[in-house]
Structure formats: structure tokens, C-alpha cells
Amino acid sequence: MSKRPPFPAGPGRPNANDQALERASFALQMQRPGEAERVAAEVLKANRGNVRAAQVLGQALLMQNRGAEAIAPLEKAARRCGDPAVETLLGAAFALTGRRDEALEQLSRATARRPPYPPAFLEHGIQLARAGRFEEAVAALESGLGFAPDAVDMLRELAALHLKRNDRVKARELLLRALKVAPDRPDLQTGLAQVMLLDGEYASAAETLRHVVALRPDDALARADLGRCLLEMGERDAGEANIRMATRESPQLFGRAIMSLAISSRGRFFLRPSAAAKFLRG
């Protein structure tokens, strides 16, 4: 069988590879990375120079936490095209495999591309923050917002950084900006509720968190914060019930739960961790 190139697509008529990659992209949107991986890999096998296939394959592998496997196709594609979308995925793959310096170098390159690619600034800020370089992370995210002022995920990440530095005024301002763009995002609502909780606005925070857990009953963090609010409002039984439920759903919140019980004006203090564990399991 001759290895001739595929028949060129006419105007408005995508070729078979384009159609396959459209299906793969749709599979990614539907959270079906395995399907996207299979389709993109088939296209890439037939055409090693297909940058879009390498990008879809890399994204599908990253969604499955298989960063090491994503590096090779993404590196080849990045060398071929210098596309910031591909470079951003490659930076994320490096980070996932512990190659932090290479990740930051790749992401710095991606943010320097023009026209700007906002997701590169988001990933750069996230990875800088994980490296403990908070001032640089803030600068990266603020730079990205200069190009995309309504980028909700960047607003959220920047708010989280300001909250870590206890700048609750700035964190609140950023979260309110994000909520104007995406008022139904539960993660933004939870973030704003955390600011309210820290500012002592327990009733407002509880109202917001009740809405979140009604939409997402398995959101253990929101439920734990709701429990803390209810304790502070004097609703001890309901507060403790929500904290218990949160720790059952997410055992890693055990320490946070104990802290919430201990620091609340109407909480509990345990002398022994075993007593606290028994109480939370009760």
C-alpha cells in the first residue's frame, strides 16, 4: 500500500485526521481522557508531525496523571512549532514529574510568546507558588490578568496567594471580581466564604457554604468550613455534625477539623488525639 499523503480537504471539508482530533477534543471536554488518548495516538502514529495530535495526546495523558509519558510527544511538538499552548502543557508535564526547574523554564518561555496565551501565565503562577516563590507567582498572575482581566482561574489563584499572606482585603476583591464573571462557580463561592469566615462574618459565610454543599454534597472542605461557621454561630450540634461528615468524606481534613473545634469559641478541646479521633468518628 503506497504511503501517499491524505487527500487534501476542500474548503469547509475537514480531512479524516481533523475529524478524529475533533472527536478527541470533545472526549477531553467530556472528561474521557482514555478515549482522547487512543484517538490522538492513532493520528500521531499516522502523521508524526501532527502538532495538534501531540497536544491532545499530551493533555489526555496529563489528565490521567501520566506526565512522564506526555513529555516526549510534547517536547517534539514544542520544538517543531513554538506554540505556547504546547509549551504550557510541557511545563505542566515537567512539573508533574518533579522536574521543577525545567517546568519553570518552559513556562517562562510560554509566557513570553506573543500574542499572549493566558493559560501559560496561570500555570506559571501555580508552579512558582508551589516552589515557594510567592512574589514571582503574584507577578506572573498579575501580568496574565493584564492581558486577560476576566480570567477567572487566574483571579482565583491570585486571591488564594493573597489569602496565604493574610491580605484578606485583596483576596476578597479578586474573588468578587471573579464571581461577577462566573457567579455559579462553587470554588469561588467557597473561597469567598473562607475570607468571610476569617473576617468573622459567620452568618454570611454559612449562607454561602450551605449553597455550595447543597450543590456539591461531597465537597468536604466546604462542609468543614460550614461546620466551623455553625459552631461560631452557636449551632453546636449542626456544626459538629458537619465537621464529622467532612472528616469521614476526606480523612486528610482531620487536622483542620481538630483545629476548628479547638479554636472555636463554642468548640471542644481534646487532650489526646485518640479522643479526638473517637469523637470525629462518632
Side-chain angles (χ1 to χ4, degrees), residues 220 245-257:
M245 192 178 301
T247 55
R248 285 196 292 269
E249 292 169 354
S250 185
Q252 63 266 32
L253 291 177
F254 181 86
R256 185 187 184 112

Side-chain angles (χ1 to χ4, degrees), residues 6-16 18-19:
F7 192 83
R13 181 183 174 186
N15 63 33
D18 290 337
Q19 291 174 333

Side-chain angles (χ1 to χ4, degrees), residues 18 77 79 99-100 112 118 155 158 178 185 188 191 212-213 217 232 235 267:
D18 290 337
R79 285 196 297 267
R99 296 163 64 175
R100 178 178 292 165
L155 289 166
L158 187 55
R185 282 269 299 259
L188 301 178
V212 171
V213 298
E232 296 290 356
E235 299 180 31

Side-chain angles (χ1 to χ4, degrees), residues 262-278:
I263 65 177
S264 172
S265 58
R266 296 176 176 85
R268 294 176 183 268
F269 180 75
F270 300 94
L271 294 175
R272 298 189 307 278
S274 59
K278 183 178 179 181

